[in-house]
Amino acid sequence: PIKNTFIRATFGWDFSASNYVVAQHPYYRTYNLTSKDDDNSGYYNISKNNLNNVNINILAGYQNGWWDDKFTFSAQVGYHQIHQETNRLSSYGSNFLVIDLLSLNNCTPSTVTSSKAMTTRRLQAISGQVELGFNKMAYVTLRARNDWSSTLPKENNSYFYPAVEGSFILTEIKGLDKSKWLNYLKLRGSFAQVGKDASPLSIDPALEATGMTGGGYMYGYTGPNKALVPEMNTSAEVGIEFRAINNRLDGDFTYYWTTCDDQIVNGFRMSYATGFVLNNMNVGSFKTWGWEGRLGFDISKTRDLTWNVGVTGSHTGSEVTYLPENLTEYYDAYTWLEGNLRSGTKVGAPITSLTGYAFERNDRGDILIHPLKGLPIVDVSEWRVMGDREPELRYGITTRFTYKD
């Protein structure tokens, strides 16, 4: 083998099998749901799920140092593969022949149906990394990766994303390295992109039996999307770390920016005029920004025991920058609350917005009152942003004990 080089290969295989049974006694329907339909006779549902995941990683690299390791260099390239399979078999039956026997064999044969679903996702990638270091003081790391995914259309299944990181330890500078009050001071910054593919069956959902005379298959509630593109997240951050006063005072502060382009949303509700209820789409783009920090102090420090108490704080802001032209609002239908309030957002609003029907107002901003009911008049012609559920500040207190580390 060549000096200062390495080749490393890892192989991982995860397999799991699980069975799920959901049953409902006939008496439950009779006394709790007061139903008069066929479900009043009880039902039995059993499913078997197998998951098979295979991961392969092959890395080859070189590392070296010169001038008494004042200058260090390392580089590596890699090949990666992820293979995921799911296999699900389920059976359902109803109308128990014997009231107290919970079994699929106890269901009326004409009600028993079975279905099988299989999905496969394969992702292959190549990656590269170069890291440079100078005098244990300054470091720069360059990364790049390209993925090919089976869950995206062929013309869009390749996506590239780079990253760069840098750090500088000021306390390694001659003069500061002997400081009695400042023990450690590090500045850091990074820029990175991360691509993301779709879930299986996003571009071509599984077909379903029509149940009509002559047989055949058709799309279900979810429609196809042959124009799906990978989601891309871009982030940047700057930060500072320090320790001072004989390492008793420590702090860490970070400010960050992120953008998400072509976000993939599964089960997105569409207009019924399209012929479907749901779809998997690149719905929109948004950006976030914020800061987080921690400041701690060793209020008690002996040779064997250290007690550190710290305060933490963070804040995050966000804004939706793009939605499709025919979409004035994106909302989660499963968050609809009493009084027509739901989790939704619009262009220019935070991604954590709440939308609803607002009160009508005059030109001065005064709420209009119904002359007969005496209540505020609600404008039901448009969903509007009512508020933001993201708090202005998150904070906390931490404490840590260390004994004979």
Side-chain angles (χ1 to χ4, degrees), residues 58-331:
I58 302 175
L59 297 174
Y62 172 83
Q63 57 186 12
N64 208 343
W66 297 273
W67 303 297
D68 295 328
D69 286 337
K70 285 191 174 182
F71 179 77
T72 58
F73 170 86
S74 66
Q76 68 178 36
V77 293
Y79 168 78
H80 317 274
Q81 183 180 117
I82 299 174
H83 185 89
Q84 299 173 331
E85 294 180 357
T86 65
N87 193 322
R88 181 179 297 110
L89 178 64
S90 60
S91 297
Y92 173 88
S94 61
N95 193 13
F96 288 179
L97 301 176
V98 178
I99 292 296
D100 291 325
L101 179 59
L102 298 180
S103 170
L104 187 66
N105 296 332
N106 187 41
C107 298
T108 301
S110 61
T111 67
V112 177
T113 60
S114 297
S115 63
K116 185 176 182 179
M118 296 181 295
T119 65
T120 301
R121 170 181 176 262
R122 178 174 292 177
L123 185 144
Q124 299 190 75
I126 56 174
S127 65
Q129 175 180 305
V130 174
E131 182 175 309
L132 305 173
F134 175 71
N135 204 24
K136 299 181 180 179
M137 178 191 308
Y139 298 91
V140 175
T141 302
L142 305 174
R143 295 189 179 95
R145 175 167 167 147
N146 199 101
D147 290 2
W148 291 267
S149 173
S150 66
T151 63
L152 295 169
K154 187 175 180 180
E155 59 273 18
N156 299 327
N157 70 351
S158 174
Y159 47 98
F160 172 82
Y161 44 100
V164 57
E165 302 174 4
S167 62
F168 189 82
I169 304 175
L170 279 74
T171 44
E172 293 294 328
I173 299 176
K174 189 175 182 179
L176 287 178
D177 57 344
K178 304 299 183 181
S179 175
K180 295 182 179 180
W181 64 273
L182 183 60
N183 306 108
Y184 182 79
L185 180 61
K186 176 182 177 181
L187 303 178
R188 65 178 188 272
S190 66
F191 170 87
Q193 286 188 315
V194 178
K196 179 183 177 183
D197 61 350
S199 57
L201 303 179
S202 291
I203 56 177
D204 276 313
L207 299 178
E208 301 177 5
T210 62
M212 302 174 65
T213 302
Y217 292 87
M218 65 179 183
Y219 285 119
Y221 293 109
T222 303
N225 186 353
K226 300 298 183 68
L228 206 63
V229 300
E231 179 179 318
M232 188 63 66
N233 294 277
T234 304
S235 63
E237 72 170 46
V238 292
I240 182 173
E241 303 173 34
F242 71 88
R243 295 193 301 269
I245 315 177
N246 196 26
N247 289 314
R248 299 192 67 166
L249 178 67
D250 65 276
D252 191 339
F253 182 85
T254 302
Y255 192 90
Y256 59 89
W257 307 262
T258 64
T259 60
C260 178
D261 295 315
D262 299 318
Q263 184 184 25
I264 298 175
V265 175
N266 296 317
F268 175 72
R269 286 187 172 268
M270 303 184 65
S271 168
Y272 294 163
T274 62
F276 302 99
V277 178
L278 306 173
N279 208 319
N280 304 306
M281 297 180 62
N282 298 105
V283 172
S285 302
F286 64 88
K287 60 182 180 180
T288 64
W289 60 90
W291 59 267
E292 56 186 13
R294 180 188 184 278
L295 186 65
F297 186 76
D298 294 339
I299 61 175
S300 177
K301 188 172 184 178
T302 64
R303 188 177 67 176
D304 295 331
L305 178 66
T306 301
W307 179 19
N308 181 278
V309 175
V311 293
T312 61
S314 65
H315 169 75
T316 300
S318 62
E319 180 185 355
V320 176
T321 56
Y322 169 78
L323 288 175
E325 294 182 359
N326 61 345
L327 184 66
T328 59
E329 178 200 7
Y330 172 75
Y331 69 93

Side-chain angles (χ1 to χ4, degrees), residues 335-341:
T335 61
W336 214 310
L337 302 177
E338 182 70 23
N340 288 320
L341 188 68

